[in-house]
Amino acid sequence: MTTTDDIRHTIAEAAALLGKSRSTVRDMCTRHELHHHRTGRVRGIYFTPSDIELNLELQRRPVGPRERGGDRAPACAATPVGDTGAVTASARDRLVRLKVVGSRA
């Protein structure tokens, strides 16, 4: 049986879902600012749907004074609060549009 976390999004798909460029997402992964997984290969970065939801929730969270500088924990150390259902639906819509545009090329 396949669960939603068995789905793996590429950097390009995650960038579209997060509303960022591929290079920004790659750089943020390098700096450990986004939740992601690695397969062990150099280009082996992937994202699960729960990673996307968590990253979207963290983007919407207001930045506190501690997170603006100094000794701060990476964004992936934070825990989301609230319902992410609407965020997930919005992200899913962006992914569908990405796949439709990609299939035309």
Side-chain angles (χ1 to χ4, degrees):
M1 174 181 257
T2 303
T3 64
T4 56
D5 278 345
D6 290 339
I7 298 169
R8 294 182 174 191
H9 295 293
T10 63
I11 289 178
E13 292 170 338
L17 291 168
L18 297 171
K20 300 191 179 303
S21 71
R22 288 182 301 199
S23 60
T24 298
V25 169
R26 192 177 301 110
D27 291 343
M28 290 177 80
C29 288
T30 301
R31 293 188 308 261
H32 303 284
E33 295 176 353
L34 289 177
H35 286 270
H36 65 284
H37 301 275
R38 293 183 184 263
T39 60
R41 299 177 308 160
V42 173
R43 296 182 155 274
I45 295 174
Y46 68 93
F47 299 83
T48 62
S50 60
D51 292 332
I52 299 294
E53 288 177 33
L54 182 58
N55 289 323
L56 286 168
E57 181 63 29
L58 291 172
Q59 282 182 9
R60 292 180 18 190
R61 212 179 93 223
V63 177
R66 181 168 183 232
E67 295 179 10
R68 288 193 183 108
D71 295 325
R72 63 180 183 168
C76 39
T79 305
V81 177
D83 179 29
T84 59
V87 174
T88 305
S90 173
R92 191 176 315 116
D93 292 343
R94 287 196 298 265
L95 181 60
V96 167
R97 285 194 300 271
L98 172 73
K99 288 184 177 182
V100 168
V101 170
S103 66
R104 293 181 190 160

